[in-house]
Amino acid sequence: MRLLHTSDWHLGRSLHRVSMLEAQAAFLDHLVITVRDREVDAVLVAGDVYDRAVPPLAAVELFDRALHRLAAEGVPTVMISGNHDSARRLGVAAGLIERAGIHLRTDPANCAAPVLLADDHGEVACYGLPYLEPALVKDEFRAEKAHHEAVLGAAMDRVRADLATRAPGTRSLVLAHAFVAGGEPSDSERDITVGGVSAVPAGVFHGVDYTALGHLHGSQTITERVRYSGSPLAYSFSEAAHRKTMWLVDLGPRGEIAAERVDCPVPRPLARLRGTLAELLDDPALERHRDSFVEAVLTDRARPADPMARLAERFPHTLSLVFEPDRAAEDASVSYAQRLRGRGDQQIAEDFVSHVRGEGPDERERTALRDAFEGVRVDETLHEGANRRA
């Protein structure tokens, strides 16, 4: 059985206020062409279909067209909701849509009810595990702790229990949206840390022939049977060096795995350029980035005049300007913003306390910060859509 594994479409997302809808439409065209040309038997979409709980109408229309085109190809598609999606909204009319071969899995309670696919070698049970917010699903899975590993482990126990009831030799697939240990994050993923812990071990998926992961935006192989497809487009300059792909996975008659990366179209490359303003304006080697989206990291000791306008003359698609002056190592005051890069909300808050007070928070204060962040995230999930944005 040939599978096409993709995730993290983030329909409706922009890059520094530049709409990505046209590029997302080009990717979906490419996906449908790949399904047809590579004789794909099933499409797996591992969450974050949309970029936010209430996506703009143009993103919903793009998703609707994609569903119609996939259904017209007659190829089953299995999708789960991610942490950016509204599970309830994405799951609306799932029963009707399923009749067209589009299987939306957004309810954690149904994670052990597989989509049954079949080829010449028998059935393949495909289980969709939507993003599991620990505080909201702890009771459903009777987990002892509201941690990612606890709830995901409990969900996988249900999957394995169902799989044990099926005919011997039944092959299995799992879609999950999570941060699995060994994965490399980027700046564009939303922090899902709970209790100071966000990563779960890859071993939680043991017993399954292939696990199609979503959440991290870089294409990655955690193990031969556990992989991230990554996002089809770069959504932050931390992804400038990413090769954006989908996984084309051949599942053999005894569960053997052969995987190939299929490149996604690159509408405009990203470049993160570093140096003084004069260096960026004069270096002939940088001419190849004229048509790229550019983030310029200026190292001038003093802020130059009109840097954005001057950069835009050479690099018309400059989107971001960052100042990181080259100064003496002992000047710690200028490195604070740099220390924040790539850190989660909890780490940023603790760094802030250290910065303004001179010493970090104690255990009681760390617990209070952690509870506050988790409370906000859970509250946003429970009241998704209450404050709609245009």
Side-chain angles (χ1 to χ4, degrees), residues 6-15 18-28 30 62 186 188-189 215-219 229-240 242-246 262-270 293:
T6 177
S7 72
D8 295 273
W9 296 354
H10 288 279
L11 300 181
R13 186 161 188 153
S14 61
L15 177 67
V18 174
S19 172
M20 301 295 285
L21 273 174
E22 186 175 338
Q24 290 168 339
F27 159 70
L28 291 173
H30 171 68
L62 184 57
S186 59
S188 56
E189 296 124 8
H215 180 56
L216 299 186
H217 288 184
S219 178
S229 67
S231 60
L233 297 165
Y235 291 121
S236 73
F237 281 97
S238 66
E239 303 170 48
H242 285 190
R243 175 188 166 196
K244 295 301 184 180
T245 61
M246 302 177 285
V262 177
D263 288 294
C264 296
V266 180
R268 191 181 299 281
L270 271 63
F293 285 133

Side-chain angles (χ1 to χ4, degrees), residues 215-281:
H215 180 56
L216 299 186
H217 288 184
S219 178
Q220 300 170 62
T221 300
I222 305 300
T223 72
E224 180 192 15
R225 299 183 180 277
V226 180
R227 300 172 187 259
Y228 282 101
S229 67
S231 60
L233 297 165
Y235 291 121
S236 73
F237 281 97
S238 66
E239 303 170 48
H242 285 190
R243 175 188 166 196
K244 295 301 184 180
T245 61
M246 302 177 285
W247 282 112
L248 192 68
V249 179
D250 286 325
L251 179 65
R254 292 177 297 279
E256 310 95 317
I257 293 292
E260 171 192 348
R261 292 177 72 179
V262 177
D263 288 294
C264 296
V266 180
R268 191 181 299 281
L270 271 63
R272 179 179 269 171
L273 309 182
R274 182 182 182 88
T276 65
L277 180 60
E279 290 169 344
L280 299 189
L281 294 178

Side-chain angles (χ1 to χ4, degrees), residues 171 260 346 356:
R171 291 160 292 164
E260 171 192 348
Q346 176 85 15
V356 299

Side-chain angles (χ1 to χ4, degrees), residues 55 84 115 212 215 322:
H84 279 251
V115 177
H215 180 56
V322 179

Side-chain angles (χ1 to χ4, degrees), residues 75-133:
V75 175
T77 299
V78 184
M79 297 183 171
I80 60 171
S81 49
N83 61 302
H84 279 251
D85 298 309
S86 164
R88 292 179 180 177
R89 286 187 174 86
L90 188 62
V92 167
L96 288 173
I97 295 172
E98 190 155 7
R99 298 179 185 179
I102 308 293
H103 307 273
L104 296 172
R105 292 296 186 260
T106 62
D107 185 353
N110 294 331
C111 67
V115 177
L116 294 177
L117 309 173
D119 62 10
D120 292 341
H121 305 287
E123 285 191 338
V124 177
C126 184
Y127 300 89
L129 278 56
Y131 171 67
L132 303 176
E133 176 60 54

